[in-house]
Amino acid sequence: MLVTERNILNYSCSGKIKREMKIISSTKVSLFVSLLAGSLVMVFCTMYLLFPLKPSYMILFGFLTVWTIYKLSKALVNRFLYSKVRMLYKTIHDTQVIDKDLGDKVRSTDILAEAEKEVKIWSEKRGSLVAQLKKQEKFRKEFIGNVSHELKTPIFNIQGYILTLLDGGLEDKSINRNYLERTEKSINRMITIVKDLEVISKLESGELKLMFERFNIIDLINEVLEMQEIRAHKNGIKLNFKQTADAPRFVYADKKEIFQVLNNLIVNSIKYGKDKGTTTIEVMSMDNKALIEVRDDGIGIESDNLPRIFERFYRVDKSRARNMGGSGLGLAIVKHIIDAHNQSINVSSTYGEGTSFTFSLDKSK
């Protein structure tokens, strides 16, 4: 939402401020100061003509005249500045300023320089906010487009299979079961996408609360490897878990969410691995952190794609990932879970040689 000059004035110039602006203006300040100075000079001249005084008294009277003009003109100028700056401060801070504090500020500081500085800061923040809103709007449009594209493929597949069955394929035993199995596969893909969207939505909104506990990270990795053993064998991938004697065993984190992180990273390495390739998992120690690395010797990621690897629905190899039934949200979920633990995850890759994901967890005390 852009803030124009007219919007600012409409927002700020209301009620009491309008009344204050009617009371005093730059013209009135100039007029009051001129009348005051002229009146005092006339008084000074009249007294000099009617009552000749000693030079010392004349100097004292002249000093008092100048001092009086200074104090009264300063009070008028401060009042004028206050009425102007008050409106400005209410606009900048989007709130009701404390009149006494602002009055003290007007009297004690160079309020124009101070106001100029604050307006500059406010303008920079507004510009940054507008840029952020534009970026979010672009991201929202891309996200909606990606969701519709991801759901469109399985929906159209399901529609095609069902229409074929209704047009006579249901009575043909050679195709009816095959088409029903394909329909189930497309439905499962839709369910996966919807579930992952729900998970990432809860993570981003903070609704998903982490349940921290002490658990054995070695046992958890073995559990994930056992679950993905059939998938790895089907894709010709060897799963290798390197265990060293000094590797930390117990960590403090949300066991269920870290299971999902490991599962997503290992499944991802299997999808993008090469035939007869290897996925290696290793646990290392660094100060009070446990580092878990999942690396493969697969197709790798080009350097241009690395900065976007954790974006929702971003795929390095779109056709291959969709054929594998992925939702395109796995790495985005991984990043959100690790961030929720206040930990870090890093990726390094050489195109054609493989990829490595490394994330940290707190060791259990």
Side-chain angles (χ1 to χ4, degrees), residues 38-55:
S39 300
L40 290 174
V41 169
M42 287 181 66
V43 170
F44 180 81
C45 293
T46 301
M47 291 187 64
Y48 177 77
L49 293 173
L50 297 177
F51 308 100
L53 299 175
K54 294 181 180 179

Side-chain angles (χ1 to χ4, degrees), residues 55-201:
S56 58
Y57 287 107
M58 294 299 296
I59 293 172
L60 178 61
F61 185 74
F63 173 79
L64 291 175
T65 301
V66 172
W67 183 83
T68 303
I69 294 173
Y70 167 75
K71 295 298 289 185
L72 291 176
S73 60
K74 183 181 179 182
L76 286 170
V77 170
N78 282 343
R79 186 178 175 187
F80 169 73
L81 288 175
Y82 172 80
S83 65
K84 292 289 187 181
V85 173
R86 187 170 185 265
M87 178 182 69
L88 183 64
Y89 269 71
K90 283 190 175 184
T91 301
I92 292 175
H93 298 290
D94 292 329
T95 185
Q96 296 295 316
V97 297
I98 301 174
D99 292 341
K100 182 179 182 302
D101 291 346
L102 182 58
D104 294 341
K105 200 170 187 179
V106 168
R107 289 188 291 270
S108 61
T109 62
D110 185 354
I111 193 61
L112 293 179
E114 188 73 17
E116 182 182 3
K117 180 181 177 182
E118 294 206 26
V119 167
K120 184 178 179 181
I121 295 172
W122 174 80
S123 178
E124 290 173 353
K125 287 182 178 179
R126 288 284 174 160
S128 176
L129 177 61
V130 169
Q132 185 179 357
L133 289 174
K134 287 182 178 179
K135 185 178 179 180
Q136 290 177 351
E137 177 67 13
K138 180 183 177 183
F139 183 77
R140 183 186 66 82
K141 289 179 179 178
E142 289 181 355
F143 176 67
I144 293 174
N146 287 330
V147 171
S148 61
H149 182 74
E150 293 294 330
L151 292 175
K152 180 174 65 176
T153 303
I155 288 173
F156 285 172
N157 287 342
I158 293 169
Q159 184 185 41
Y161 298 144
I162 291 177
L163 287 175
T164 302
L165 292 172
L166 291 175
D167 288 341
L170 190 61
E171 284 74 27
D172 188 343
K173 293 183 179 180
S174 62
I175 66 170
N176 57 11
R177 184 174 182 83
N178 183 29
Y179 273 44
L180 286 173
E181 287 176 351
R182 291 182 182 182
T183 300
E184 183 191 20
K185 186 181 291 185
S186 294
I187 291 172
N188 288 336
R189 184 180 170 190
M190 287 180 62
I191 292 172
T192 300
I193 293 172
V194 172
K195 283 184 176 179
D196 285 351
L197 281 171
E198 183 181 13
V199 169
I200 205 167
S201 177

Side-chain angles (χ1 to χ4, degrees), residues 11 29 40 172 194 197 216 280 316 320:
Y11 174 82
V29 170
L40 290 174
D172 188 343
V194 172
L197 281 171
N216 191 317
T280 302
V316 177
R320 185 174 185 182

